[in-house]
């Protein structure tokens, strides 16, 4: 069964350093999402792509976070510089183009900023 | 604004007990409603969904009914198993202009003991 791949699974970084996460969605899925899940809370959408275009980045802290999906397939989320409050699980999900389709989630990257 | 409120956990039950996890929502328009489950160390998986009022979603013995009059989507299971131990997230979607954004509740942890 096709799955969403994410790497790394765990990342420890120091405050002020740069960090990047990678996501490979299910083949053929046009929509890709990055969520942040703080411990004890539900996931919150950071950015959503339709093919290579950003359609929603209203909750993305653009002074330090950036995301790209250059060829409309895999995606990278970057944080520079990392802050202590960025410690969280970063989840990637993908879905087919239509509204209300199930979102398929990857295993996530757990980030710890020290 | 759009939001989801879930009952706080943890919920601790004995095997074969009846489960209810309450979920209420606030939304403009006509959202779709979802329950996702997160097993330890894994990503979120869709458990069930309902796309319009009075629809009942069901899967693996779990069920939830979309109640527009009470803005609720409570999750129920008649007889839980140890393997049901996980975190359950209620979510609403379809409220961001057709781009399938999901808004999650904080999650409810379920622990089932033999």
């Amino acid at each position: 069964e096709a799955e969403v791949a994410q790497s790394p699974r765990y990342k420890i970084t120091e405050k002020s350093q740069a960090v990047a996460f990678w996501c490979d969605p299910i083949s053929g899925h046009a929509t890709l999402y990055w969520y942040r899940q703080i411990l004890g809370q539900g996931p919150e959408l950071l950015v959503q792509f339709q093919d290579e275009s950003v359609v929603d980045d209203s909750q993305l802290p653009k002074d330090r976070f950036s995301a790209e999906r250059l060829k409309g397939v895999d995606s990278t989320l970057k944080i520079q510089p990392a802050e202590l409050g960025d410690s969280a699980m970063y989840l990637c999900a993908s879905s087919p183009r239509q509204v209300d389709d199930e979102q398929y989630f990857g295993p996530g990257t757990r980030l710890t900023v020290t | 604004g759009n939001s989801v409120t879930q009952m706080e956990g943890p919920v601790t039950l004995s095997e074969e007990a009846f489960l209810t996890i309450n979920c209420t929502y606030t939304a403009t328009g006509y959202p779709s409603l979802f329950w996702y489950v997160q097993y330890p160390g894994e990503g979120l998986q869709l458990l069930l969904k309902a796309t319009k009022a009075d629809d009942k979603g069901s899967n693996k013995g779990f069920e939830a009914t979309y109640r527009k009059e009470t803005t609720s989507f409570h999750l129920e299971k008649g007889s839980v198993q140890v393997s049901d131990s996980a975190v359950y997230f209620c979510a609403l979607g379809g409220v961001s202009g057709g781009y399938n954004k999901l808004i999650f509740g904080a999650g409810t942890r379920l622990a089932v003991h033999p």
Side-chain angles (χ1 to χ4, degrees), chain B residues 21-79:
Chain B
I21 300 178
N22 290 337
C23 171
T24 58
Y25 68 90
T26 302
T28 54
Y30 304 95
S32 295
L33 298 172
F34 305 82
W35 277 101
Y36 277 80
V37 59
Q38 188 173 34
Y39 298 103
E42 298 184 15
L44 277 73
Q45 302 173 25
L46 178 66
L47 182 59
L48 54 83
K49 70 178 184 181
T51 57
K52 61 183 187 297
D54 299 325
D55 270 2
K56 177 184 286 188
S58 61
N59 186 26
K60 300 180 181 179
F62 291 88
E63 59 182 34
T65 301
Y66 187 158
R67 301 287 189 197
K68 192 171 189 296
E69 64 275 15
T70 55
T71 62
S72 65
F73 193 55
H74 304 320
L75 183 68
E76 297 181 336
K77 187 176 186 183
S79 176

Side-chain angles (χ1 to χ4, degrees), chain A residues 33 37 42 48 99-101 103, chain B residues 32 36 49 89 98-100 105:
Chain A
Y33 314 81
Q37 184 180 14
Q48 179 179 346
V99 174
D100 291 338
D101 273 330
Q103 292 187 22
Chain B
S32 295
Y36 277 80
K49 70 178 184 181
F89 293 92
Y99 287 120
N100 203 21

